[in-house]
Amino acid sequence: MIQVKKENTWNTYTGEQLTELEALSKRYRAFLNVGKTERECVTETVRIARENGYRSLEEVRASGETLKTGDKVYAVNMEKMIALFVIGEQPMETGMRILGAHIDSPRLDVKQDPLYEDTEMAYLDTHYYGGIKKYQWVTIPLAIHGVVVKKDGTKVQVCIGEKDEDPVVFVSDLLVHLAGEQMEKKARLVIEGEQLDLLVGSRPYKEEKAAGEKAGEEKEKQAAAKDAVKKNILAILRESYDIEEEDFLSAELEIVPAAKARDCGLDRSMIMAYGQDDRVCAYTSLEAILSIPAQERTCCCLLVDKEEIGSVGATGMQSRFFENTVAELMDAAGQYSELALRRALSHSRMLSSDVSAAYDPLYAGSFEKKNSAYFGKGLVFNKFTGSRGKSGSNDANAEYVAAIRAMLEKHQVAFQTAELGKVDIGGGGTIAYITALYGMEVIDSGVAVLNMHAPMEVTSKADIYEAVKGYRAFLQEA
């Protein structure tokens, strides 16, 4: 099959399929709107899972019951990572069928000592997270999401900028009239990391006037006040969230675009939203596992954190959470031994579900047409990722690729293959190489995205629909 001649899937859909596609798109937009951080994604995933009959693995262990075929369970790691399982008919050591995606996205993170005042303007100092074009994050409305944990362990949820009545914050940019020198810089230097500070206020704190106090004395007091704007911001935070300045030390506050997921294009064929890398694959994986009954083998949907910074840390794919959870699952099913665990992992098959770069004709020079992903051509498979000479890549073996091809064609799933741009232009990676360390067969698959890693990314509704079909077929047939 010649890649560029694949049919546009929009031409193949029946009226019933178009209705399903739009209903899926609506559910997906809703998920994006409530899940702009990894914590929020996990919270929403747990809610949806429990509505569909899933129980936490902790509940199962506490009850002392033995897991059996058809049982649906989930496990959460530090509120930022989740694994869902449907127990299969065969012992787990015969291998699982795993859909793995990540739920962290590029953003700005608030530093631990962030709040300061300069020239009667209050700012929050930030450190960007993941690979971004820093100039894309200035002058746009931004929202603050996250948690603040106080010394006594009290956890305060923060979300400012999403409701219509909420204020937003932003990063300022130099007006074009004075930007001659700035615009001579290379793009990566036009806005530097330490310039990505959020403007959060400009109004000084005003002490309530004591009875009998003269107006002139009050004015002098206000003039003498130090960091009065910062003090006003702290007063607002204290009143709204009962937090103090020192509580920033134990906070995780993420700065994301204050915009809703929207239909895109006059034909409403696309979705524009923040965080589609990689929540488009996370949500479609979730939809797939929720829609299947028990299969021959245990099925898993694994949603992880920290992929954008190397899958490190306790909530990244390089942690032992997944391995430990599988061990606990096997123990609850009466199947655990160290050898059986090793066999379960090595005999598994996985789709590392991550996005691919959609071909953009406005930047055609960065793509190789025969090996690019296109909107409306279906689920994308990347046999390898990495950069330059496939460095840092998982390179799926031909036998596994052949099995995937046969499975997709059997279930009439539209799919395409791609690389991430021209050789030597750039590159990227996923979690595939990490799970491949267990000896399991892994290939990268996902949805094509325009504007990848920008504050607002764009996907095709048709590709989202085909992704769910493809992931469901994988769980049923692989």
Side-chain angles (χ1 to χ4, degrees), residues 326-345:
V326 173
E328 292 281 3
L329 198 71
M330 295 179 72
D331 185 62
Q335 300 176 15
Y336 177 77
S337 73
E338 183 64 18
L339 181 57
L341 172 62
R342 297 298 153 200
R343 287 172 176 168
L345 294 169

Side-chain angles (χ1 to χ4, degrees), residues 394-413:
N394 170 69
D395 198 345
N397 64 61
E399 291 85 354
Y400 187 39
V401 177
I404 294 293
R405 284 178 56 201
M407 175 265 296
L408 293 170
E409 290 177 5
K410 174 182 175 181
H411 287 266
Q412 298 182 313
V413 177

Side-chain angles (χ1 to χ4, degrees), residues 43-64:
T43 298
E44 181 65 5
T45 298
V46 168
R47 185 193 67 79
I48 295 171
R50 294 191 73 90
E51 283 185 353
N52 284 269
Y54 281 74
R55 296 174 297 157
S56 76
L57 186 53
E58 288 183 358
E59 291 174 36
V60 173
R61 289 171 54 200
S63 71

